[in-house]
Amino acid sequence: MPKTIKTTYTAINLETGEVYTGIDAPQSITRGETHFWQASKDFFATLLGYGTVESKVVANVLHRTDPKTNRIACTLPELRKELSCTRDTVASAIKKMESKRLIFGIGQGVWMLNPRMLAMGNQTQIALLMAEYDRYVSEKTGVALVAGKYVLKNPVTAEELPLPPECDDKLMFLDGNVQFWKIYDAFFTAVAGLSENELRVLLHMMDINKSKGGGTYNRPLTVIADEARVSVPTVNRAVKKLKKRNLVIRYCNCNWMINPLMVANGNKRKQKVLERRYTGVQAENEAKLKRYRFRVLSPYNDGKPFIPVGLPTSPQKP
């Protein structure tokens, strides 16, 4: 395994002159099945308000994001051709993403994903992305840059980058208890094409899962519809799609579980427990389906397989 190259930054408090050293930021960030994005709760709110086809555009744009720089380089014709949709649909989706401050245009065909909502890497890297994002917004809009009391000094370039106010109370990259959702690339594909109300069902189940802390959600469909403020047919459609895309799984009638391999919340130990539970329930459901797929129960209620005798095996011609 190649050795990870790191850049050690120095943080300086402009008010007190206090200096923090040994703040490392790896120069390489990769993406894959085991690498996750750190998402804030505000990120999920920005996924609402799109049409069915527009949601595919959003998922495609997020999937194109470079995790090292949080930049998205693509043109509207490329998105239109890949998704087989109209130019107006792509333009409308991009405009909505910009209005929700999910992305910000920094050049022709180049956007930057808001690192406060979605980013990959450690807290030092995210702080650097936040500072870069704020600088672009200030330059493009003319609004004065709001900086905090800390600056990061790069030992290689000697550049001092002012950090955002979020790092004032306690340095963001020194706080190991930052709460966030873990999102994997498969999540973007799973939610592509969902309607707004169908996505509301998923987000409601995720919010309940987080509040309970057990990774399970125990509600019948009628209660889900009432709590998420959608219709029962919408919940039925949403559940069918989510189950087909392996985003949720059902066990013991009204118990639901979110796939922790796509989206999870909590430390590594909790996530491992949820992964084992999810794969165990999945294997149990598949075994039940295989066991009962071709089994016809006896009408005598004896629990034994019943094979009709004397019936034609194929339709008879009149």
Side-chain angles (χ1 to χ4, degrees):
M1 181 179 295
K3 185 178 180 180
T4 303
I5 302 176
K6 297 182 179 181
T7 301
T8 303
Y9 288 84
T10 300
I12 306 173
N13 189 324
L14 298 178
E15 295 181 356
T16 63
E18 192 174 3
V19 178
Y20 297 89
T21 58
I23 303 170
D24 295 332
Q27 294 181 353
S28 62
I29 301 178
T30 57
R31 64 191 304 171
E33 294 182 357
T34 59
H35 299 87
F36 59 85
W37 297 86
Q38 299 183 26
S40 66
K41 192 173 182 179
D42 295 335
F43 165 74
F44 298 102
T46 63
L47 298 180
L48 300 173
Y50 301 93
T52 303
V53 182
E54 289 177 341
S55 67
K56 294 182 180 180
V57 178
V58 175
N60 188 282
V61 170
L62 294 176
H63 191 72
R64 288 172 174 264
T65 305
D66 184 356
K68 297 180 182 178
T69 61
N70 260 35
R71 295 186 182 183
I72 307 145
C74 61
T75 61
L76 299 187
E78 289 177 355
L79 292 173
R80 180 177 60 83
K81 183 178 180 180
E82 183 173 346
L83 299 173
S84 301
C85 59
T86 64
R87 182 182 179 88
D88 292 340
T89 301
V90 176
S92 175
I94 295 295
K95 186 176 181 180
K96 289 180 180 179
M97 294 177 71
E98 290 179 331
S99 65
K100 296 174 183 290
R101 297 183 179 180
L102 180 58
I103 60 175
F104 185 81
I106 60 176
Q108 185 66 29
V110 182
W111 294 268
M112 185 172 183
L113 179 64
N114 190 344
R116 288 180 174 83
M117 296 187 181
L118 194 67
M120 188 179 291
N122 61 20
Q123 300 307 313
T124 305
Q125 292 164 309
I126 296 177
L128 292 171
L129 290 174
M130 290 167 60
E132 184 180 4
Y133 179 85
D134 292 345
R135 186 180 61 186
Y136 279 125
V137 173
S138 177
E139 292 175 354
K140 290 286 184 178
T141 61
V143 179
L145 177 64
V146 180
K149 60 184 179 182
Y150 288 99
V151 295
L152 272 186
K153 185 176 181 180
N154 190 322
V156 179
T157 62
E159 179 186 6
E160 292 186 354
L161 189 64
L163 294 179
E166 287 91 335
C167 302
D168 282 356
D169 295 336
K170 187 175 183 180
L171 284 178
M172 182 179 179
F173 35 78
L174 296 180
D175 186 1
N177 297 319
V178 178
Q179 297 294 324
F180 56 84
W181 283 89
K182 298 178 182 179
I183 292 183
Y184 298 85
D185 282 342
F187 177 81
F188 302 139
T189 305
V191 299
L194 294 179
S195 67
E196 180 178 0
N197 286 337
E198 291 169 350
L199 191 57
R200 286 184 185 276
V201 175
L202 172 63
L203 298 184
H204 176 72
M205 297 173 72
M206 289 172 53
D207 193 54
I208 294 294
N209 276 338
K210 182 181 178 182
S211 62
K212 291 182 64 176
T216 58
Y217 175 53
N218 187 354
R219 295 286 195 284
L221 298 183
T222 53
V223 177
I224 296 177
D226 184 56
E227 293 179 346
R229 297 182 180 180
V230 296
S231 64
V232 176
T234 299
V235 176
N236 280 321
R237 288 196 307 269
V239 167
K240 287 181 180 179
K241 290 182 180 180
L242 297 176
K243 288 172 60 179
K244 186 177 181 180
R245 302 178 187 193
N246 196 27
L247 191 50
V248 301
I249 195 170
R250 185 180 70 174
Y251 67 100
C252 298
N253 295 329
C254 298
N255 288 305
W256 305 88
M257 188 174 181
I258 305 292
N259 189 347
L261 298 175
M262 291 190 183
V263 56
N265 180 270
N267 55 32
K268 292 182 179 180
R269 183 177 180 180
K270 175 184 175 182
Q271 187 174 359
K272 288 295 182 182
V273 172
L274 294 178
E275 288 177 7
R276 288 194 296 267
R277 184 183 302 174
Y278 187 88
T279 53
V281 172
Q282 194 175 36
E284 183 180 351
N285 288 351
E286 291 177 356
K288 287 181 180 179
L289 181 62
K290 184 178 180 180
R291 188 163 58 247
Y292 293 107
R293 181 172 294 169
F294 301 107
R295 182 176 178 181
V296 181
L297 295 180
S298 171
Y300 304 109
N301 295 324
D302 54 5
K304 298 180 180 180
F306 176 70
I307 303 177
V309 180
L311 296 179
T313 57
S314 60
Q316 301 293 323
K317 294 183 180 180

